[in-house]
Amino acid sequence: MQLNLQVGEFSSETGEILEEGQTFRLDLDEAKGDNQRVMLPHPEIIEASEIGHELLVDDGKVKLKVSGKVSSSIHNLLLLKTIPAYLDMA
């Protein structure tokens, strides 16, 4: 299953650099994100996500694979690809 998602804001106005293979977290925390985590303003997506699902972010430029989750976050997302090499959701 693949989902194309929009996420919350990042602290950096220019976006964040993510490396292929790094882990990342999507959560419900309204604080601005960084290169480790960002808010996903869709609790229903967090609830429905399962280990193995792939999530597309920034119109498919970033692909994340779910490898763990708790009730309020999808964590240990493995970055599978980036085009371009940073995530800019501002």
Side-chain angles (χ1 to χ4, degrees):
M1 177 177 163
Q2 289 187 341
L3 300 171
N4 192 6
L5 306 170
Q6 297 295 319
V7 296
E9 294 182 29
F10 288 91
S11 297
S12 171
E13 293 180 14
T14 60
E16 290 294 338
I17 296 173
L18 302 177
E19 302 289 334
E20 288 191 32
Q22 87 171 67
T23 58
F24 192 72
R25 185 177 80 239
L26 299 173
D27 58 40
L28 299 175
D29 185 346
E30 293 182 8
K32 290 187 177 184
D34 56 26
N35 71 344
Q36 300 297 309
R37 57 134 324 260
V38 73
M39 178 188 181
L40 177 63
H42 304 285
E44 68 279 6
I45 299 298
I46 291 175
E47 183 178 327
S49 293
E50 296 179 10
I51 293 173
H53 284 176
E54 293 179 355
L55 309 175
L56 303 176
V57 181
D58 196 14
D59 297 323
K61 295 177 186 145
V62 175
K63 183 190 260 186
L64 302 165
K65 186 171 186 175
V66 177
S67 62
K69 73 177 248 184
V70 294
S71 62
S72 61
S73 72
I74 304 170
H75 61 277
N76 295 332
L77 289 157
L78 180 64
L79 182 63
L80 300 177
K81 76 168 186 169
T82 57
I83 307 170
Y86 67 92
L87 182 58
D88 179 10
M89 301 305 299

